[in-house]
Amino acid sequence: MKKIILACIALAGLLLSAAGARADDQYKILVLAMPGKYHYEYIPIARESLEKQAKLHAFELVYTHRPEVFDGDLSQYAMVMFLNTPGEELSEPRRRKFEEYMRNGGNAMLVHRALIIPPNTWPWFEKLIGRRVGNHPMLQTGVAEVVDKKFPATYGLPARWIWSDEWYVFDNPYNIKINPVLNVDESTYDPTKIWPGQVSKGMGKDHPVAWYHQMEKGRVFVTALGHNGEMYRDPQYLSHLMGGIYWTATGKGIQQ
């Protein structure tokens, strides 16, 4: 009997400790990471890295590949991240739920493949992104330049950052005002290098690859970077993501 009592006390202590750990979380975020034709190997790598970030920075992370999560209560999340997962993956009712979440002050973060959605499939989501992806040259090494050193997603980056990615080309059919934080220097790669039968052109000096803006009543952070799975182990890239998470979830961190 004594052993049973001691075991119960020990279990109660563990439960209290777990409850205390949850109580220490500053906020809760949802990450939707669904496998696609060209993006699937990143999922377990990104999950492990983001879970480490959550423990380090004391926030709760819900990481899922199931869009059914949008059937639940989205108001519990300080932000929703579409990680290499475009909005077209959501059914019509789930799209309306997400729109309502943003109208009520929710926040969103969009990473790499999440920016590519067929034109006019969901115009509201295109406006959420702030730009429309046209095409992109082959993955190449280039130089990303910090254009807003006061924004948290650039704090861990050098002024000129050597990075290899798909440098998406954008247009702005809805005339959305964005605040760029990273541009890519097109002189450091070949914007025309693309697959046979396709044509790619650069955007010139003003070629954003990460930015933020407001949508409905919420904050939106967008980064076009993050094509390969190994990128989600890179300390500088994770610093970039964490800065975006921090600002999107809290609205804090911009240097005045």
Side-chain angles (χ1 to χ4, degrees):
M1 179 62 70
K2 185 177 180 180
K3 289 182 178 180
I4 294 175
I5 293 173
L6 290 174
C8 290
I9 292 172
L11 178 60
L14 288 173
L15 292 173
L16 287 172
S17 296
R22 286 194 296 271
D24 288 340
D25 288 335
Q26 301 177 84
Y27 49 84
K28 183 178 183 180
I29 74 170
L30 172 65
V31 177
L32 179 64
M34 297 178 64
K37 182 178 180 180
Y38 301 109
H39 299 86
Y40 52 86
E41 82 288 348
Y42 78 94
I43 292 176
I45 304 172
R47 179 170 193 158
E48 180 182 7
S49 293
L50 289 175
E51 285 177 346
K52 288 179 179 178
Q53 292 293 316
K55 291 177 181 178
L56 177 63
H57 296 289
F59 63 88
E60 185 177 350
L61 173 72
V62 175
Y63 191 101
T64 183
H65 65 280
R66 300 177 63 86
E68 292 87 348
V69 71
F70 282 78
D71 296 336
D73 178 17
L74 294 179
S75 67
Q76 63 185 298
Y77 303 110
M79 58 162 274
V80 174
M81 181 193 295
F82 290 79
L83 182 58
N84 279 324
T85 303
E88 65 184 290
E89 297 288 353
L90 298 183
S91 65
E92 194 66 27
R94 290 166 186 156
R95 294 180 187 184
R96 301 290 83 81
K97 282 282 297 289
F98 182 59
E99 289 180 11
E100 181 182 7
Y101 165 76
M102 292 298 297
R103 283 195 296 270
N104 290 333
N107 308 293
M109 183 165 163
L110 305 136
V111 180
H112 192 61
R113 179 62 177 82
L115 281 58
I116 301 179
I117 182 170
N120 304 315
T121 301
W122 186 7
W124 182 92
F125 195 82
E126 290 185 75
K127 294 175 184 178
L128 180 80
I129 297 166
R131 290 292 182 269
R132 178 185 285 172
V133 178
N135 59 10
H136 62 78
M138 295 179 179
L139 187 148
Q140 297 174 67
T141 300
V143 175
E145 298 180 315
V146 172
V147 294
D148 186 352
K149 63 181 181 181
K150 295 184 177 181
F151 190 79
T154 67
Y155 286 169
L157 304 180
R160 288 176 63 80
W161 179 30
I162 295 176
W163 189 248
S164 302
D165 221 309
E166 297 175 323
W167 303 107
Y168 289 171
V169 175
F170 305 103
D171 62 10
N172 186 15
Y174 299 105
N175 295 315
I176 304 296
K177 182 184 182 300
I178 61 171
N179 304 284
V181 299
L182 284 177
N183 280 356
V184 63
D185 180 351
E186 291 186 352
S187 72
T188 62
Y189 70 100
D190 183 356
T192 67
K193 185 178 181 181
I194 198 167
W195 299 267
Q198 300 184 42
V199 176
S200 177
K201 296 181 180 179
M203 295 176 61
K205 185 178 180 180
D206 184 18
H207 187 159
V209 291
W211 59 84
Y212 69 97
H213 68 116
Q214 300 289 133
M215 177 69 173
E216 303 288 4
K217 293 183 179 180
R219 295 177 293 275
V220 182
F221 176 69
V222 177
T223 180
L225 309 181
H227 178 70
N228 286 340
E230 285 302 312
M231 295 175 178
Y232 295 87
R233 292 191 175 105
D234 181 84
Q236 288 181 318
Y237 180 69
L238 291 175
S239 175
H240 174 60
L241 286 186
M242 185 59 221
I245 291 171
Y246 173 51
W247 175 80
T248 308
T250 70
K252 299 176 182 179
I254 297 180
Q255 183 181 1
Q256 301 300 318

